[in-house]
Structures are given as structure tokens and as C-alpha cells.
């Protein structure tokens, strides 16, 4: 039971009609797994005897006695306070985040009327992934593998049962319209009313899972014994056709699921996927190196309405396991050189697919700069750079569309004869209301970057070892925050009284709100630097290098400060850190720059490609 004060989000109604022990188990799971949300529990008691278990009475659960479901529901609603009503049948055990995942659908999918969970038998097989009206076997996928792709994306359903959520006002309308409710047909009656009378949609949410305690022999009777071996009856409606909705379909391929809280490339890809989903595309995602990974980043994609296809085993392939999908894909948006190189041959087998080669950044440019920075130049390395450039340019020419992330890299590709180039930059958001901390209430400087990316390691080592010693001569107490995931020993060893390396932080906004200066001393790399845009979203002034400023049309002394050697970089830190007027000017102009890269502006380019 949630003890939080204020308006309740959800009233959870447990329908108890058969077995007291099943009710106890279900309620125990609800109390344990319903966290971080305001809710209340009500038990609709349809037993002949009043529920009187002392263990339940201590949980502040409201009990509603009723001889019939209709009157009991009316009574329960009069006593409930939630905006939404969750209905669960006895004998269903909920799992972690079951309720928050049902609520997500109401916020993500327009005109949602009801959302139901995936129900799995306690022995591991699927009970239902939604329901179909008018078929003898109304439970979709019963006795099938619940991990199959077909049952693991949000989609419309005819009906939902066992565990579902709807708005309280919709349930009230159903009661007012005298919809007849019986225990065995409650969900069916509600589904029909919501779809036909309210003209709203019923959805199935695979991330909300209920485990059904199966004490009866009903399901086991669906098993048949042939030649001494038990085999399962055929699952009802596997939904292969439902995967291929009439809208145009786009498949995104990247090595891993996007991790937008950890790296700039993932943040950009995540926003591109969101734009496509919101535009009504049938969006698929394939993580080339992901193997049956159902963690938080997978769940984030599912909750956008993305259909995530995945490998069960290391040697599984997209073209073998999901051929029926590939035959209906309209666009394949493939990110990074290695992925485009790997899938070019597969795409030849599907000439109907429009191939979009997203370079993310030009590898030959990035690698060449890295070796140049380290003063390494040999015939062998020069030949290697030439090989990378040849492969990258050749793939860019073969694609239907090649995406460059900056105007500079787009022009560079065109100089090599790639004429099918379109620039799709990083996507940023104006953090309205964040620039509330004044210049004098801020202290310290910060950097952010995923340290699996070597240019970020080089940047902070250069910052701490060569730039900051000059700064500390004038400002000995100045603190440097080196934010970012997976810092290696090269970075953690930089920690000192003046240098803090916190590692991965889920919410970095306090650092952008409280620090006075953001630094990006990037000496190598290519593409558009997401960290700079990230800082400018908050109006936090940036000092960077010429390479760091690349791709955003930044001007020294107007919306950024640029320095390319340690002494000049240190002087710019000292100048900005101590100059309120300069700080305010750069902050204001940073916000103006970011307006160019909002989803509203970038989406026009993306959607023009997908025609």
C-alpha cells in the first residue's frame, strides 16, 4: 500500500471469487512489486464468507463485499480515489514494474482505453499475449514460448484479461451504460465497450508480466499424448501478420541498443527512432551484438512502440530468423561503418529496401586525426587510412542515402564523389527553466563523455596534466568534475583534491546547473560533439578546440571560446570563469544555437528522406 500523500494515481481492484490462498499470494506480490507509485488496494469479495485473514487486514486494504460483480464494482469505484483503475484476478502474481509499464502506454499511445499484461503460466509457458474475439481459442499464443519476438512488442489487441488497466472515468461510463459484468466476462465486456462505444484502443504491453497460478487441470487438458510424447496444442494466432501493419516499415541496425544516458551517438539514434515512431512508421530495431538482452535499454525501445528483434544465440542471423519481416521492410537505417560493411551483401537480396547509411562520423577522418595527434606517420598507417577511406566511400556511394552528421563531413564525402549525402545532425532540447542559477552561485568546471571512446580519455588527460596546472596557479581551489561512464585507470588515476571522477551518473543535470564552465578539450575525433550541445542545452558556456567546435557553426567569442593549445585553453578558462558579462553573453547565444537542432527542426530532414 502506498503511504504517499496527495492524489492517488491508481486504484488496484482485486477480484476474489474462488480461492483465499490465491488471493493472499496475489496481494503479497502487489504490495512487494508496486513501488514508486501512488496507489491503493481494494478487494472485491465475491466469496460466500467475508475475507477475514488477519495478515491481510494489517495492510490497510479496503474490502468490498458483494453478491454480484456489477454492484461490487459500483461500490468499489465510489470508495476509490485513483485516476486509473487496475483490475487483477486472483491467482495472478505481478512482477517488477508491472504497473509503471502499463501506465507508459497511456502516455505513449494516443487514444488508449485499456492496457493489458502478458500472462505466463507458473510453469513458464505463455497463457496469453492479448486476446482475439470470435475465435475458439481467444488467448493469443497460449502454450507458446513467451520470449518469442511475436509476443514482445506493444500492439493493439481485441481484448485483455487477468491483469489490465483503464481510466476510472471509462469504467464509470461502462457502469452508467448498464454494461453487464459477470466474473468470467468482465474483461471481454469492458474491451468491447471501450472499442465500440468509447472508440478507444485496447493495447497489449509485454513488459507488464503476470504469473498465473494454475491449480486446475483445464490448461493441462490442452496437452495431447502422441507416441508417448506430450506435445502442446497449436498457439492461437501467433500474430506474424500483426507485425506488418499497413504503415511504412523502417528497420534500424546498430551494434547495441541505444544507451542515450551514456554516449552522444546513442542519444542521437534514440531521438531519430522516436521521431520515426511518432510519425507513424512501423519501427523495428536490431542490435547486431545483443543476445536475448531484455534489460532497461530494451524496455525503453519497447515503450516507444518499437519492435525489437533479437538473437537468442550467438550464431543467429537477422536474415535467417526474421526473413518474413525483411520481405516487408521499406527502409533500413544502418549506423556505423562496421554495420554497413557487414549488411551490404544482405541488402542485395532485398532490393526493395531503401538503404540509409548513417556514417555517425567518418572513420577515416577520426582515425587519421588520432594518428596525427600522436605524431605517428608511416607508409603502413597511411595505407591503412587509405583502405578505410576507400571502404567507407564505396559503401556511401552504394547506399540509397548516406547520412553525414556535419556539413563539413557532408562536403568531404561529396569531394570523393558521394552525391547522395544528407546531413542529419545531433538532436538537442532546450532545457527551459534550467538556467536559473546565477554566475556567482556557480562554481567549478566540468567535462562529460563516455570513456570507451578514446578521444574522451585523451581530452581529460590533457586537461588535467597540461591545462589545469596553469589554471591552478591563479585559482588553486578550482574543482574539475570529469563525468562519464566507464572511466579507465588512465582517468580514475587523475583524481585528487581538485579532480573528481564520479563515474556513471543517471541524472547529470545538477552538474550543468551548478558548474560555471564546461570544457571539451578534444584533440582528436570527428563528427558533431554531443557533449558540447548537451552543455549548451542548459545554457552552460563552453570552451573547446577547433575539432570540438566542428559541425555546429560556432563562433569564437560569440557562442563558444576556442583554443587549441594548453596555454591558450587555460587562459580562456581563467577569462570566462572570472567574467560575468562574457559568461552571460555566451550562455544566451548558446541557447540560440541549440534551437537549430531541436527535434522539430531535424525531423523535417529525416522525414524527407523517408518518402
Amino acid at each position: 500500500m502506498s503511504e504517499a500523500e496527495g492524489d492517488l494515481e491508481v486504484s488496484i481492484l482485486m477480484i476474489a471469487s474462488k480461492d483465499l490462498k490465491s488471493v493472499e499470494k496475489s496481494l503479497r506480490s502487489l504490495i512487494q512489486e508496486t513501488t514508486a507509485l501512488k496507489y491503493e488496494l481494494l478487494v472485491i469479495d465475491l466469496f460466500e464468507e467475508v475475507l477475514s485473514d488477519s495478515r491481510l487486514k494489517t495492510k490497510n486494504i479496503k474490502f468490498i463485499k458483494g453478491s454480484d460483480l456489477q454492484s461490487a464494482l459500483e461500490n468499489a469505484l465510489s470508495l476509490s480515489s485513483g485516476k486509473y483503475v487496475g483490475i487483477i484476478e486472483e491467482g495472478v502474481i505481478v512482477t517488477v514494474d508491472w504497473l509503471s509499464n502499463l501506465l507508459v502506454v497511456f502516455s505513449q499511445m494516443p487514444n488508449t482505453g485499456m492496457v493489458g499484461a502478458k500472462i505466463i503460466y507458473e510453469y513458464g509457458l505463455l497463457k496469453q499475449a492479448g486476446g482475439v474475439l470470435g475465435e475458439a481459442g481467444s488467448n493469443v499464443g497460449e502454450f507458446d514460448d513467451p520470449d518469442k519476438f511475436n509476443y514482445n512488442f506493444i500492439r493493439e489487441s481485441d481484448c485483455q484479461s487477468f491483469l489490465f488497466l483503464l481510466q476510472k472515468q471509462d469504467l464509470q461510463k461502462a457502469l452508467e451504460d448498464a454494461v453487464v459484468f459477470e466474473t468470467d466476462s468482465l474483461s471481454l465486456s469492458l474491451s468491447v465497450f471501450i472499442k465500440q462505444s468509447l472508440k478507444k484502443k485496447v493495447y497489449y504491453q509485454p513488459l507488464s508480466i503476470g504469473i498465473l497460478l494454475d491449480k486446475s487441470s483445464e490448461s493441462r487438458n490442452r496437452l495431447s499424448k502422441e507416441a508417448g510424447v506430450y506435445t502442446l496444442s497449436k498457439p492461437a494466432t501467433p500474430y506474424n501478420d500483426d507485425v506488418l501493419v499497413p504503415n511504412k516499415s523502417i528497420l534500424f541496425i546498430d551494434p547495441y541498443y541505444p544507451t542515450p544516458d551514456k554516449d552522444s551517438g546513442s542519444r542521437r539514434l534514440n531521438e531519430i527512432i522516436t521521431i520515426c515512431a511518432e510519425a507513424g512508421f512501423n519501427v523495428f530495431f536490431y542490435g547486431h551484438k545483443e543476445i536475448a538482452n531484455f534489460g532497461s535499454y530494451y524496455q525503453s525501445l519497447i515503450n516507444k512502440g518499437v519492435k525489437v528483434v533479437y538473437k537468442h544465440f550467438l550464431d543467429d542471423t537477422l536474415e535467417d530468423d526474421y526473413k518474413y519481416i525483411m520481405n516487408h521492410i521499406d527502409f533500413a537505417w544502418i549506423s556505423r561503418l562496421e554495420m554497413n560493411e557487414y549488411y551490404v551483401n544482405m541488402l542485395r537480396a532485398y532490393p526493395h529496401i531503401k538503404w540509409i547509411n548513417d556514417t555517425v562520423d567518418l572513420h577515416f577522418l577520426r582515425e587519421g586525426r588520432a594518428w596525427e595527434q600522436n605524431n605517428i606517420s608511416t607508409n603502413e598507417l597511411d595505407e591503412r587510412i587509405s583502405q578505410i577511406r576507400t571502404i567507407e566511400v564505396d559503401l556511401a556511394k552504394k547506399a540509397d542515402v548516406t547520412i553525414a552528421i556535419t556539413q563539413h563531413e557532408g562536403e568531404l564525402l561529396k569531394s570523393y564523389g558521394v552525391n547522395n549525402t544528407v546531413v542529419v545532425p545531433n538532436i538537442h532540447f532546450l532545457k527551459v527553466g534550467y538556467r536559473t542559477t546565477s554566475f556567482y552561485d556557480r562554481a567549478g568546471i566540468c567535462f562529460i563523455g563516455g570513456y570507451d571512446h578514446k578521444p574522451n580519455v585523451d581530452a581529460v588527460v590533457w586537461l588535467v596534466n597540461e591545462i589545469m596546472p596553469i589554471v591552478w596557479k591563479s585559482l588553486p581551489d578550482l574543482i574539475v568534475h570529469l563525468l562519464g561512464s566507464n572511466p579507465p585507470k588512465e582517468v580514475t588515476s587523475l583524481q585528487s583534491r581538485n579532480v573528481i571522477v564520479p563515474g556513471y551518473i543517471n541524472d547529470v543535470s545538477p552538474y550543468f546547473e551548478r558548474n560555471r564552465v564546461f570544457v571539451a578539450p578534444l584533440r582528436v575525433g570527428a563528427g558533431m560533439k554531443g557533449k558540447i550541445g548537451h552543455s549548451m542545452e542548459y545554457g552552460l558556456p563552453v570552451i573547446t578546440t577547433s575539432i570540438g567546435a566542428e559541425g555546429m557553426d560556432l563562433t569564437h567569442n560569440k557562442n563558444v571560446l576556442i583554443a587549441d593549445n594548453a596555454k591558450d585553453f587555460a587562459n580562456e578558462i581563467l577569462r570566462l570563469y572570472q567574467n560575468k558579462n562574457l559568461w552571460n553573453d555566451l550562455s544566451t547565444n548558446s541557447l540560440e544555437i541549440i534551437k537549430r537542432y531541436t527535434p522539430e527542426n531535424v525531423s523535417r530532414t529525416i522525414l524527407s528522406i523517408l518518402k
Side-chain angles (χ1 to χ4, degrees), residues 13 15 44 64 68-80 85 87 166-182 185-187 189-194 197-198:
L13 308 186
I15 298 176
I44 293 179
I64 293 91
D68 65 275
L69 185 59
Q70 186 94 8
S71 61
L73 278 172
E74 291 174 350
N75 192 13
L77 283 187
S78 69
L79 296 173
S80 66
V85 175
I87 297 180
L166 71 162
Q167 293 190 64
K168 180 180 179 179
Q169 62 184 14
D170 290 345
L171 182 52
Q172 288 172 326
K173 288 179 182 176
L175 291 168
E176 291 168 2
D177 283 21
V179 175
V180 177
F181 293 132
E182 297 177 359
S185 62
L186 168 63
S187 60
S189 300
L190 274 174
S191 298
V192 171
F193 177 78
I194 284 171
S197 298
L198 300 184

Side-chain angles (χ1 to χ4, degrees), residues 293-309:
N293 178 358
F294 308 123
S296 61
Y297 297 112
Y298 165 86
Q299 293 175 29
S300 177
L301 288 169
I302 295 295
N303 279 333
K304 289 179 187 290
V306 176
K307 300 171 176 64
V308 182
V309 294

Side-chain angles (χ1 to χ4, degrees), residues 334-374:
I334 305 180
S335 298
R336 308 177 196 277
L337 173 60
E338 62 171 316
M339 292 293 94
N340 280 283
E341 190 175 9
Y342 183 92
Y343 284 102
V344 61
N345 290 328
M346 183 200 74
L347 288 170
R348 290 194 181 106
Y350 301 96
H352 66 281
I353 297 177
K354 186 175 181 178
W355 171 22
I356 301 166
N357 174 351
D358 188 350
T359 61
V360 181
D361 63 21
L362 293 180
H363 289 52
F364 71 83
L365 182 62
R366 171 161 49 86
E367 293 297 322
R369 284 174 170 173
W371 287 329
E372 182 180 334
Q373 172 62 36
N374 292 314

Side-chain angles (χ1 to χ4, degrees), residues 515-587:
N515 277 270
R516 190 178 289 179
V517 172
F518 184 87
V519 293
L522 297 163
R523 299 190 292 179
V524 295
M528 189 174 173
K529 315 308 182 296
K531 58 179 62 63
I532 292 175
H534 194 176
S535 180
M536 288 183 168
E537 289 179 5
Y538 292 87
L540 179 61
V542 174
I543 304 172
T544 189
T545 60
S546 298
I547 287 176
E550 206 171 60
M552 291 186 68
D553 195 24
L554 300 176
T555 303
H556 178 61
N557 270 332
K558 181 180 179 182
N559 39 46
V560 72
L561 297 180
I562 299 174
D564 288 320
N565 62 63
K567 183 179 179 180
D568 290 346
F569 207 104
N571 288 337
E572 295 294 10
I573 292 175
L574 290 168
R575 181 163 74 103
L576 179 57
Y577 201 84
Q578 300 172 100
N579 188 327
K580 177 184 176 181
N581 291 334
L582 176 62
W583 191 94
N584 283 330
D585 288 344
L586 290 177
S587 178

Side-chain angles (χ1 to χ4, degrees), residues 434-448 463 468 477-483 498-500 502 505 507-519 535 538-542 573 576-577 583 587:
Y434 271 109
R435 203 185 68 163
T436 56
T437 309
S438 67
F439 175 82
Y440 290 116
D441 290 331
R442 295 170 178 264
I445 67 175
C446 67
F447 170 92
I448 191 169
L463 173 68
M468 290 310 299
D477 296 323
L478 183 58
I479 302 297
V480 179
H481 300 94
L482 304 179
L483 311 177
N498 292 87
V499 179
I500 298 173
I505 296 174
D507 181 12
V508 296
S509 58
Y511 289 89
F512 289 95
E513 295 167 29
R514 297 169 190 166
N515 277 270
R516 190 178 289 179
V517 172
F518 184 87
V519 293
S535 180
Y538 292 87
L540 179 61
V542 174
I573 292 175
L576 179 57
Y577 201 84
W583 191 94
S587 178

